[in-house]
Amino acid sequence: MQLSQKLANFTKGQADSLRKAMGKKIKEEMDKLFTLFIDGCVANGHDESKAKKIWADMEKFAQYAFNKSHSTCYALIAYQSAYLKAHYPSEFMAGLMSNNMDKTDDIKKYIEVSKKMGIEVLGPDVNESNYIFTVNDKGHIRFGLSAIKGVGENVIIEMVAIREKEGVFTDIFDFVTRLGSKNANKKVLEALAISGALDCFEELRREQYFGQEDTMTFIEKLIRYANDVNKTTNEETNLFGESFQDMIERPKVPAAKEFSQMERLEKEKEVLGLYMSGHPLDKYKKIINDLTLKTFEEVKLSKKTEYVIGIVKDLVKGTGENQKPYMRFNLLGLESAMQFNLKDKNCEEFGKYIVEGNAIMLKIKSDSFVSKKENKTIEFIRIESVIPENRFYSIINRVVLSIDLTDTHQEIIAKLEYVCKVHQGNIPLILSLETPLSDSNSNHLQQDEIELIEDEENISSPLYQSLEFRSIAFKVDINDKYLADLYEIIGESKVKLII
């Protein structure tokens, strides 16, 4: 605004019009003011080409610019936020989650960030949680009760008030009687049980709340029990001085079939909007970390063929106008989700592997084409292959075991040799050995069973050498049992799967 006034003699009104036109990209107004600006600069004796350069710079700057007062406010907020995150990380992350209670995707993101910061995020708990996300004495973040679908604000306020006034709830019977059937109704108890908020009562499993005896679920019996108890008072006694409350029989906890891991997680997601106690892909974390991209956003940035793993959700099947089948589905990964489409030949070839709720691996590549109809470049993800769950290990070309010979004794070498012998197959086994240059521990390994892999990166420091050897004696079969045995012997971090 000042430049236009000083260089081109703009009035304050014209300068403000220029600001609006540039900020909102109003082309007609900008064209009109451009001519006025250039003419004004030339009239003041400025070079026309320099005036045009100044205009271009102002135009680019105005696409995202702030005045000083606005910038100062942002700078102050940024400084305060950085200070809080550095010195009060748990409280800072809990605050972020509390301010985004209704945004499940943001909550997921903040939970992942918290984990990477070393902050544990615990599920809801009627004996510790409050309305919002809070930090407990150990520095862990406790899930806010208001994030549970089906549990209203008034119920939470009453629950927290009772707990703070009278102490924590000792068991489920104490909980329902103190809270009362008005607050502890069927909908609330079901939501609390499914979310894990009642897990603090360790004598009960989640599924037992839904167990049935005599046509009534345990939750329904708890509500009736609370009603019976609250109809009387401790002062009411029988002829022998016994309290009527104490005489009311507690309902028997029913037997119930334990939820599978997937059932438990899906029920959590129903009321929390996310998986809290785990993730359906947890058992594939090693493969995901070693062989695939962890987030689907990375796919768009990569120009090469990549692998991703996820759970099939929201599957839609149909027949297109060309009378050929198509599929549309969301692939739920560890940290994000993405929609994919299968058409024509791909659908016929890979469709049998796309089943709702199943884990699959996709071999994909980011691609693009120029649409003549829309006259623009359209980006898309091309599916090259679909790999079912029982063939995830089939893409592995070799497995690398990292062994520090200064911390490895003959017994460990013997165990490794045994499990490799038991699980022989076709996958090359690579031993990455790290040892001081003068160390003779490599004598543990028979020289006729390994061969050195020539690699400039093998020498890692003047004092230590890191050498990779290909096992001549063993090729292995990669399976769950073999990997579990390796993790037990040398630790999961020492095992690397490579495509």
Side-chain angles (χ1 to χ4, degrees), residues 177-188:
T177 53
R178 284 166 62 186
L179 198 57
S181 57
K182 180 181 177 182
N183 291 315
N185 58 43
K186 184 177 180 181
K187 182 181 178 182
V188 169

Side-chain angles (χ1 to χ4, degrees), residues 222-239:
L222 284 172
I223 294 170
R224 186 172 66 179
Y225 169 77
N227 277 330
D228 291 343
V229 170
N230 289 326
K231 282 178 184 177
T232 66
T233 66
N234 280 322
E235 286 73 30
E236 295 182 57
T237 59
N238 61 14
L239 292 172

Side-chain angles (χ1 to χ4, degrees), residues 384-418:
E384 297 183 351
S385 180
V386 179
I387 302 165
E389 181 181 2
N390 61 0
R391 289 180 50 216
F392 282 178
Y393 293 133
S394 67
I395 68 170
I396 298 171
N397 286 325
R398 62 188 187 277
V399 58
V400 179
L401 308 184
S402 297
I403 301 174
D404 181 357
L405 291 182
T406 61
D407 191 36
T408 302
H409 46 79
Q410 189 63 45
E411 184 182 351
I412 291 178
I413 300 297
K415 286 181 179 179
L416 286 174
E417 185 176 353
Y418 174 77

Side-chain angles (χ1 to χ4, degrees), residues 126-127 158-159 162-181 183-184 189 192 198 200-201 203-204 209 218 221-223 225-227 229-230 234 245-246 248-251 253:
V126 294
N127 268 334
E158 182 70 13
M159 187 191 309
I162 292 171
R163 189 182 71 206
E164 290 179 349
K165 182 180 178 182
E166 303 172 11
V168 297
F169 304 104
T170 57
D171 55 36
I172 188 61
F173 304 105
D174 180 49
F175 177 74
V176 294
T177 53
R178 284 166 62 186
L179 198 57
S181 57
N183 291 315
L189 289 176
L192 291 173
L198 301 179
C200 54
F201 307 131
E203 65 275 10
L204 279 161
Y209 289 98
F218 185 58
K221 290 183 178 181
L222 284 172
I223 294 170
Y225 169 77
N227 277 330
V229 170
N230 289 326
N234 280 322
Q245 277 192 350
D246 294 337
I248 297 172
E249 187 178 355
R250 290 180 170 184
V253 178

Side-chain angles (χ1 to χ4, degrees), residues 61-80:
F61 175 74
Q63 290 177 2
Y64 194 75
F66 298 104
N67 56 38
K68 287 182 180 179
S69 61
H70 196 94
S71 299
T72 302
C73 293
Y74 267 79
L76 178 61
I77 292 171
Y79 173 79
Q80 291 172 334

Side-chain angles (χ1 to χ4, degrees), residues 272-287:
L272 297 176
L274 50 84
Y275 301 117
M276 193 66 228
S277 62
H279 194 284
L281 294 176
D282 280 346
K283 61 181 176 179
Y284 310 113
K285 271 190 175 180
K286 182 63 178 176
I287 302 176

